[in-house]
Amino acid sequence: MLTVKEIMTREIVTISPESSIREATDKLLENSVSGLPVVDAAGNLVGIVTEFALLAMAYDNNVSDDFVAEHMTTDVLSINVSDPINKVADAFILHRVRRLPVMEDGRLVGLVARRDVLRALHYAEAPYAAC
């Protein structure tokens, strides 16, 4: 069975809680990602900020000067590097999230997205029989 370690993205784009919403939006757009793990100065995962949260700017442009800490989700669901891929799929389905931070020994070591799971499952299948 495939594990998270085999499918996760190791190069993670993060942001600090003291960064502005404008900076978060810039990072999302520059890196073509839909969410950013929020880490403190010690590198601890303290939240996640998503495109969805940043849509608040559509209602109030002054939000762009707010701190990420004011708009991030602090109750972050995460997974472990050794978790099997079916546990990750369960989390995506049950909690309707798009990405999950990957933890090892309490430290953020990667990120896994729904597309990573789909890709792994698709390419792990046996080749289709010729018709």
Side-chain angles (χ1 to χ4, degrees):
M1 170 81 33
L2 287 171
T3 64
V4 171
K5 187 174 189 172
E6 297 169 279
I7 66 167
M8 71 181 193
T9 299
R10 288 171 172 74
E11 296 173 14
I12 325 162
V13 180
T14 63
I15 196 156
S16 77
E18 296 84 20
S19 296
S20 71
I21 292 298
R22 183 177 310 282
E23 291 172 283
T25 304
D26 286 344
K27 275 194 173 194
L28 285 173
L29 296 173
E30 288 170 9
N31 293 283
S32 299
V33 295
S34 61
L36 298 169
V38 182
V39 296
D40 64 15
N44 298 310
L45 179 66
V46 295
I48 195 158
V49 65
T50 65
E51 288 174 327
F52 186 81
L54 299 181
L55 287 175
M57 289 188 302
Y59 299 103
D60 182 1
N61 197 35
N62 294 325
V63 168
S64 62
D65 295 324
D66 288 355
F67 293 114
V68 166
E70 297 173 64
H71 296 274
M72 68 184 188
T73 299
T74 56
D75 186 19
V76 180
L77 179 65
S78 64
I79 52 176
N80 192 284
V81 290
S82 60
D83 286 340
I85 199 168
N86 62 334
K87 182 176 180 180
V88 180
D90 287 347
F92 285 141
I93 293 166
L94 292 172
H95 300 283
R96 295 182 176 252
V97 293
R98 294 178 181 264
R99 79 215 44 81
L100 290 167
V102 180
M103 308 298 284
E104 184 174 39
D105 299 325
R107 304 293 299 167
L108 178 65
V109 295
L111 201 64
V112 66
R114 292 186 299 193
R115 184 166 293 161
D116 298 322
V117 173
L118 289 173
R119 184 180 300 115
L121 293 171
H122 178 74
Y123 291 111
E125 291 180 1
Y128 296 105
C131 296

